[in-house]
Amino acid sequence: MTNPYFDGTDPDASETGRADDPEIARLLDAILPHVAFDGWSEAAFRAAAHETGMTVPQAHALCPRGAIDLAVALHDAGDRAMVEAVRAADLTAMRYRDRVAFALRARIEAVRDKEALRRATALFALPHHAAEGSRLLWRTADAIWTALGDASDDVNWYTKRATLSGVWASVVLYWLGDDSLDHQATWSFIDRRIDDVMRIESAKARANKSVLLKPLTGALSFLFSGVHAPHHKPPMDLPGHWSPRR
Protein backbone atom coordinates (compact mmCIF):
# COMPACT_ATOMS: atom_id res chain seq x y z
CA MET A 1 0.00 0.00 0.00
CA THR A 2 1.37 3.40 -0.87
CA ASN A 3 2.05 5.96 1.84
CA PRO A 4 -0.87 8.42 2.11
CA TYR A 5 1.34 10.96 3.86
CA PHE A 6 3.60 11.51 0.87
CA ASP A 7 2.51 14.79 -0.70
CA GLY A 8 3.75 14.23 -4.24
CA THR A 9 6.83 16.44 -3.95
CA ASP A 10 9.78 14.70 -5.56
CA PRO A 11 12.91 15.03 -3.42
CA ASP A 12 14.69 12.31 -5.36
CA ALA A 13 16.89 14.52 -7.46
CA SER A 14 19.90 16.22 -5.97
CA GLU A 15 20.44 19.94 -6.34
CA THR A 16 22.49 19.31 -9.45
CA GLY A 17 19.92 16.88 -10.81
CA ARG A 18 22.70 14.44 -11.70
CA ALA A 19 23.02 12.23 -8.64
CA ASP A 20 21.27 9.35 -10.43
CA ASP A 21 23.26 9.77 -13.67
CA PRO A 22 24.14 6.21 -14.80
CA GLU A 23 27.77 7.17 -15.49
CA ILE A 24 28.12 8.63 -12.00
CA ALA A 25 26.49 5.47 -10.65
CA ARG A 26 29.15 3.40 -12.45
CA LEU A 27 31.91 5.49 -10.92
CA LEU A 28 30.30 5.16 -7.50
CA ASP A 29 30.12 1.38 -7.76
CA ALA A 30 33.75 1.28 -8.83
CA ILE A 31 35.11 3.56 -6.10
CA LEU A 32 33.49 1.89 -3.08
CA PRO A 33 35.98 -1.02 -2.79
CA HIS A 34 38.85 1.50 -2.89
CA VAL A 35 37.35 3.85 -0.28
CA ALA A 36 37.94 1.32 2.49
CA PHE A 37 41.69 1.57 1.85
CA ASP A 38 42.26 5.02 0.32
CA GLY A 39 39.29 6.99 1.64
CA TRP A 40 37.42 9.43 -0.59
CA SER A 41 40.69 10.44 -2.21
CA GLU A 42 41.98 11.33 -5.64
CA ALA A 43 43.77 7.98 -5.77
CA ALA A 44 40.49 6.13 -5.22
CA PHE A 45 38.79 8.34 -7.81
CA ARG A 46 41.45 7.64 -10.41
CA ALA A 47 41.22 3.90 -9.75
CA ALA A 48 37.44 4.06 -10.22
CA ALA A 49 37.83 5.96 -13.49
CA HIS A 50 40.31 3.37 -14.76
CA GLU A 51 38.03 0.46 -13.85
CA THR A 52 35.06 1.99 -15.66
CA GLY A 53 37.10 2.63 -18.80
CA MET A 54 37.02 6.41 -18.44
CA THR A 55 39.93 8.77 -18.63
CA VAL A 56 40.49 10.90 -15.53
CA PRO A 57 39.41 14.07 -17.42
CA GLN A 58 36.20 12.33 -18.48
CA ALA A 59 35.52 11.31 -14.88
CA HIS A 60 36.22 14.84 -13.67
CA ALA A 61 33.81 16.19 -16.26
CA LEU A 62 31.12 14.19 -14.46
CA CYS A 63 32.44 14.90 -10.96
CA PRO A 64 34.42 18.15 -10.95
CA ARG A 65 35.43 17.70 -7.31
CA GLY A 66 36.37 14.08 -7.83
CA ALA A 67 35.72 11.68 -4.97
CA ILE A 68 33.88 14.32 -2.95
CA ASP A 69 31.16 14.45 -5.58
CA LEU A 70 30.89 10.67 -5.45
CA ALA A 71 30.56 10.80 -1.65
CA VAL A 72 27.70 13.27 -2.14
CA ALA A 73 26.16 10.98 -4.78
CA LEU A 74 26.29 8.07 -2.32
CA HIS A 75 24.52 10.18 0.28
CA ASP A 76 21.84 11.24 -2.20
CA ALA A 77 21.30 7.62 -3.26
CA GLY A 78 20.64 6.74 0.38
CA ASP A 79 18.11 9.55 0.66
CA ARG A 80 16.33 8.34 -2.48
CA ALA A 81 16.17 4.77 -1.15
CA MET A 82 14.76 6.03 2.16
CA VAL A 83 12.08 8.06 0.36
CA GLU A 84 11.06 5.01 -1.67
CA ALA A 85 10.77 2.93 1.53
CA VAL A 86 8.58 5.58 3.17
CA ARG A 87 6.42 5.89 0.04
CA ALA A 88 5.82 2.14 -0.05
CA ALA A 89 5.06 1.74 3.66
CA ASP A 90 1.62 1.80 5.25
CA LEU A 91 2.05 4.37 8.03
CA THR A 92 -1.62 4.98 8.76
CA ALA A 93 -1.62 3.10 12.07
CA MET A 94 1.57 4.76 13.35
CA ARG A 95 1.87 7.74 15.66
CA TYR A 96 3.74 10.61 14.06
CA ARG A 97 6.83 10.01 16.20
CA ASP A 98 6.84 6.38 14.98
CA ARG A 99 6.69 7.51 11.36
CA VAL A 100 9.76 9.66 11.91
CA ALA A 101 11.51 6.72 13.60
CA PHE A 102 10.56 4.50 10.66
CA ALA A 103 12.07 6.98 8.21
CA LEU A 104 15.30 7.23 10.21
CA ARG A 105 15.60 3.45 10.34
CA ALA A 106 14.90 3.25 6.61
CA ARG A 107 17.68 5.77 6.01
CA ILE A 108 20.14 3.67 8.02
CA GLU A 109 19.09 0.53 6.17
CA ALA A 110 19.70 2.36 2.89
CA VAL A 111 23.42 2.71 3.66
CA ARG A 112 25.23 0.64 1.05
CA ASP A 113 28.64 0.49 2.68
CA LYS A 114 29.25 1.17 6.37
CA GLU A 115 32.96 1.82 5.93
CA ALA A 116 32.29 4.23 3.07
CA LEU A 117 29.91 6.15 5.34
CA ARG A 118 32.51 6.14 8.13
CA ARG A 119 35.08 7.62 5.75
CA ALA A 120 32.54 10.15 4.43
CA THR A 121 31.69 11.23 7.98
CA ALA A 122 35.36 11.90 8.63
CA LEU A 123 35.68 13.70 5.28
CA PHE A 124 32.77 16.06 5.89
CA ALA A 125 33.94 16.77 9.42
CA LEU A 126 37.05 18.48 8.02
CA PRO A 127 36.79 22.29 8.28
CA HIS A 128 36.92 22.89 4.53
CA HIS A 129 34.14 20.34 3.90
CA ALA A 130 32.01 21.06 6.98
CA ALA A 131 29.57 23.29 5.07
CA GLU A 132 28.96 20.48 2.57
CA GLY A 133 28.41 18.02 5.42
CA SER A 134 25.90 20.35 7.08
CA ARG A 135 24.08 20.75 3.78
CA LEU A 136 23.79 16.96 3.39
CA LEU A 137 22.44 16.58 6.95
CA TRP A 138 19.82 19.22 6.21
CA ARG A 139 18.95 17.56 2.90
CA THR A 140 18.29 14.24 4.61
CA ALA A 141 16.11 15.90 7.25
CA ASP A 142 14.20 17.72 4.50
CA ALA A 143 13.76 14.50 2.51
CA ILE A 144 12.32 12.76 5.59
CA TRP A 145 9.85 15.52 6.44
CA THR A 146 8.81 15.89 2.81
CA ALA A 147 8.26 12.15 2.42
CA LEU A 148 6.14 12.18 5.59
CA GLY A 149 3.97 14.91 4.10
CA ASP A 150 5.05 17.85 6.25
CA ALA A 151 2.88 20.81 5.28
CA SER A 152 4.39 23.48 7.54
CA ASP A 153 4.82 26.85 5.86
CA ASP A 154 6.25 28.98 8.67
CA VAL A 155 9.24 28.99 10.98
CA ASN A 156 8.32 25.43 12.01
CA TRP A 157 9.53 24.30 8.58
CA TYR A 158 13.03 25.34 9.63
CA THR A 159 12.92 24.19 13.26
CA LYS A 160 11.69 20.73 12.28
CA ARG A 161 14.57 20.26 9.86
CA ALA A 162 17.17 21.75 12.17
CA THR A 163 16.08 19.44 15.00
CA LEU A 164 15.96 16.34 12.80
CA SER A 165 19.37 17.19 11.30
CA GLY A 166 20.84 17.00 14.81
CA VAL A 167 19.04 13.75 15.52
CA TRP A 168 20.22 12.22 12.23
CA ALA A 169 23.84 13.26 12.87
CA SER A 170 23.79 11.62 16.31
CA VAL A 171 22.15 8.47 14.92
CA VAL A 172 24.85 8.09 12.26
CA LEU A 173 27.65 8.43 14.82
CA TYR A 174 25.96 5.94 17.15
CA TRP A 175 25.31 3.42 14.36
CA LEU A 176 28.92 3.54 13.18
CA GLY A 177 29.95 2.16 16.56
CA ASP A 178 27.00 -0.23 16.96
CA ASP A 179 27.83 -3.94 16.85
CA SER A 180 24.50 -5.15 18.28
CA LEU A 181 22.41 -7.83 16.56
CA ASP A 182 20.35 -6.38 13.70
CA HIS A 183 21.17 -2.84 14.88
CA GLN A 184 18.82 -3.18 17.86
CA ALA A 185 20.90 -0.75 19.92
CA THR A 186 20.61 1.87 17.17
CA TRP A 187 16.83 1.44 16.91
CA SER A 188 16.58 1.99 20.68
CA PHE A 189 18.83 5.03 20.36
CA ILE A 190 16.53 6.49 17.70
CA ASP A 191 13.53 6.03 19.99
CA ARG A 192 15.33 7.79 22.85
CA ARG A 193 16.34 10.74 20.67
CA ILE A 194 12.79 11.17 19.39
CA ASP A 195 11.51 11.01 22.98
CA ASP A 196 13.93 13.85 23.79
CA VAL A 197 12.56 15.90 20.90
CA MET A 198 8.98 15.26 21.97
CA ARG A 199 9.81 16.49 25.49
CA ILE A 200 11.15 19.71 23.97
CA GLU A 201 7.97 20.13 21.92
CA SER A 202 5.85 19.56 25.03
CA ALA A 203 7.85 22.20 26.89
CA LYS A 204 7.31 24.65 24.01
CA ALA A 205 3.57 23.98 24.08
CA ARG A 206 3.43 24.62 27.85
CA ALA A 207 5.41 27.83 27.40
CA ASN A 208 2.97 29.06 24.76
CA LYS A 209 0.06 28.44 27.14
CA SER A 210 1.79 30.04 30.15
CA VAL A 211 0.27 33.34 31.26
CA LEU A 212 3.64 34.50 32.60
CA LEU A 213 5.47 33.74 29.35
CA LYS A 214 2.70 34.95 27.03
CA PRO A 215 4.28 38.39 26.42
CA LEU A 216 7.54 36.75 25.32
CA THR A 217 6.02 33.95 23.25
CA GLY A 218 3.55 36.37 21.68
CA ALA A 219 6.35 38.73 20.66
CA LEU A 220 8.33 35.85 19.17
CA SER A 221 5.27 34.61 17.27
CA PHE A 222 4.77 38.08 15.82
CA LEU A 223 8.45 38.37 14.90
CA PHE A 224 8.51 35.05 13.07
CA SER A 225 5.09 35.37 11.45
CA GLY A 226 6.69 36.62 8.24
CA VAL A 227 9.00 33.61 7.86
CA HIS A 228 7.90 31.11 5.24
CA ALA A 229 9.15 27.84 3.78
CA PRO A 230 11.43 28.03 0.69
CA HIS A 231 8.83 26.83 -1.79
CA HIS A 232 7.09 30.20 -1.38
CA LYS A 233 10.24 32.25 -1.93
CA PRO A 234 10.74 34.56 -4.91
CA PRO A 235 13.52 33.50 -7.33
CA MET A 236 16.76 34.15 -5.48
CA ASP A 237 19.72 32.18 -4.18
CA LEU A 238 18.57 32.10 -0.56
CA PRO A 239 17.27 29.25 1.65
CA GLY A 240 14.02 31.09 2.45
CA HIS A 241 12.56 34.56 2.72
CA TRP A 242 10.76 36.98 5.01
CA SER A 243 7.64 38.89 4.14
CA PRO A 244 5.28 41.23 6.02
CA ARG A 245 2.88 39.54 8.39
CA ARG A 246 -0.13 38.07 6.61
Side-chain angles (χ1 to χ4, degrees), residues 35 40 71 74-75 111 113-127 129-130 133-134 136-137 168-176:
V35 168
W40 294 97
L74 180 65
H75 180 96
V111 174
D113 188 308
K114 191 170 187 176
E115 184 58 30
L117 177 58
R118 191 190 313 276
R119 296 285 191 136
T121 301
L123 174 71
F124 292 120
L126 296 173
H129 294 313
S134 298
L136 294 178
L137 289 173
W168 171 240
S170 67
V171 167
V172 169
L173 293 176
Y174 188 93
W175 178 71
L176 288 174

Side-chain angles (χ1 to χ4, degrees), residues 92-211:
T92 53
M94 293 185 185
R95 297 175 297 171
Y96 210 92
R97 66 172 309 285
D98 295 329
R99 298 172 202 157
V100 177
F102 176 88
L104 289 169
R105 293 171 190 170
R107 184 60 183 83
I108 285 290
E109 290 171 341
V111 174
R112 290 177 53 183
D113 188 308
K114 191 170 187 176
E115 184 58 30
L117 177 58
R118 191 190 313 276
R119 296 285 191 136
T121 301
L123 174 71
F124 292 120
L126 296 173
H128 55 295
H129 294 313
E132 181 80 47
S134 298
R135 185 170 66 90
L136 294 178
L137 289 173
W138 183 276
R139 210 147 78 195
T140 295
D142 182 45
I144 289 173
W145 282 119
T146 301
L148 292 176
D150 175 45
S152 57
D153 183 38
D154 53 13
V155 70
N156 287 317
W157 188 93
Y158 297 91
T159 59
K160 283 181 176 181
R161 283 151 182 78
T163 301
L164 193 58
S165 293
V167 171
W168 171 240
S170 67
V171 167
V172 169
L173 293 176
Y174 188 93
W175 178 71
L176 288 174
D178 180 16
D179 58 359
S180 63
L181 181 64
D182 297 328
H183 315 305
Q184 289 303 312
T186 298
W187 305 157
S188 297
F189 181 81
I190 289 173
D191 290 337
R192 293 196 299 273
R193 295 292 71 77
I194 294 178
D195 286 341
D196 291 341
V197 172
M198 296 308 296
R199 280 193 287 270
I200 294 172
E201 292 301 315
S202 296
K204 286 167 57 180
R206 289 194 298 271
N208 287 331
K209 294 177 181 179
S210 171
V211 175

Side-chain angles (χ1 to χ4, degrees), residues 49 84 88 167 225:
E84 290 302 319
V167 171
S225 62

